[in-house]
Amino acid sequence: MRAPLCSADVSEALSMPVIESPYTFYARLRETSPLSRIGESGVHLVASWDLIEEALEREEDFSAHLTGVLIRDPAGEPATFTLPMTGATQVIATADEPDHSIHRSVVQPRLTPARIGQLEERLRRWTGSAIAGWQNAGGGDLIPVCERIPALALAHVLGLPEDDVERFRVWAMMGGDMLAGDASAERLGKLGQETAQMAAYLADHLESAISQPREPEPNEPLLQALARAVRTGVLARETAIGISIVLFGAAGESTAALLGSCAKWLAEDPALVQQLRAEPTLIPRFIEEIVRLEPPFKFHYRSVTRDCSLGGFSLQEGDRLMLLWASANRDAAYFEEPDTLRLDRRFPKRHMGFGRGAHFCVGATLARLEARVMVESLLELDPALLESGPSEATYAKSVFVRRLESLSLSGPAPN
């Protein structure tokens, strides 16, 4: 068996040029070292579609448990920050079987296409209001709008007060910071403290739901379903809280990232804007291409449970894999013109932008709906809004999340 190649320079991987446009870096990995060790951190980049699929099929070797994240040590060298193995951290996306299926069985019925479809009118109202406020202010940074819509949707799905949406916006962005790859142990500690505050807030609302039992309702908030699962012994309290925390990032930050990417792509391509205005039925295909080309989460971790190999490369128990969805989505072995946005792909949803396999994103239907409503709302505005292009666009400094921190558009004149 071969040892993993060490051609992945962590300095390059964490540099702003690669963060802002990582795809040349990923292409080099696919071609020269599809499995690359990052220094002596024990973390390996997995860059090709085939190797990622192989890893996903071998849960006995590659656990979804999030046991540690990539950081820089005090000397600036790549290292890992070990995370505790608790019921609050190994949930949904980071849980193995049988726990993963149990968690999904509580969450998924509240996120079915039929139920999410009932949210469309409400989403249009929220989106219209947020964009109108932005427009009346003369445009400017669109990202607060992109963050507000998922926060409102999250509040509705969970059953939390809409008045707390600004707190949700802050909390929803923290997951990407924890997985950014360049966070110090001190920074991770502070993020942990903020996460504890979020957990306490969610615990209060969960306890309130537990103490006031209700009969099951077709459209009940997710917190009610979690509370019932706790009362009946299906879930432990800390697990129910952990699921709520994960949803903040999964339904908050990732969707905000998708909305920002859609807006930026439109602002940079006037011909595409005209095409989508003329053929609005292509909007869902446009969204799938954005998810493929700019997946909100560039990767997810897997932890190696025993000495084994992947694609002929040797791995050791305790190593960690970064499954690079963003790289696999541009693998020329699976996509014709992989770096080009095409609205005529035969299988537009065939990508890893929402993950793949058993851990496919449970909130994908909601994210797609939010993106469609946002794109449709933007296309209804004054054409000058998108034709002038962005005057500023900055990305969060993160190897994990593909999220714009600012996207300034001139916007139409105030009413």
Side-chain angles (χ1 to χ4, degrees), residues 214-234:
R214 299 182 187 176
E215 291 297 318
E217 300 174 5
N219 297 309
E220 66 182 0
L222 180 54
L223 272 176
Q224 287 293 332
L226 292 171
R228 187 176 303 106
V230 172
R231 285 197 305 270
T232 58
V234 174

Side-chain angles (χ1 to χ4, degrees), residues 79-112:
T80 53
F81 182 84
T82 301
L83 297 174
M85 290 284 291
T86 71
T89 58
Q90 311 309 328
V91 296
I92 296 285
T94 57
D96 291 332
E97 298 300 344
D99 295 336
H100 172 253
S101 291
I102 294 171
H103 301 171
R104 284 185 81 98
S105 72
V106 177
V107 174
Q108 199 157 26
R110 278 79 199 169
L111 296 171
T112 61

Side-chain angles (χ1 to χ4, degrees), residues 368-382:
R368 285 169 167 143
L369 176 60
E370 290 180 63
R372 178 168 61 81
V373 170
M374 172 64 84
V375 170
E376 290 172 352
S377 299
L378 289 174
L379 293 175
E380 290 171 358
L381 291 176
D382 187 328

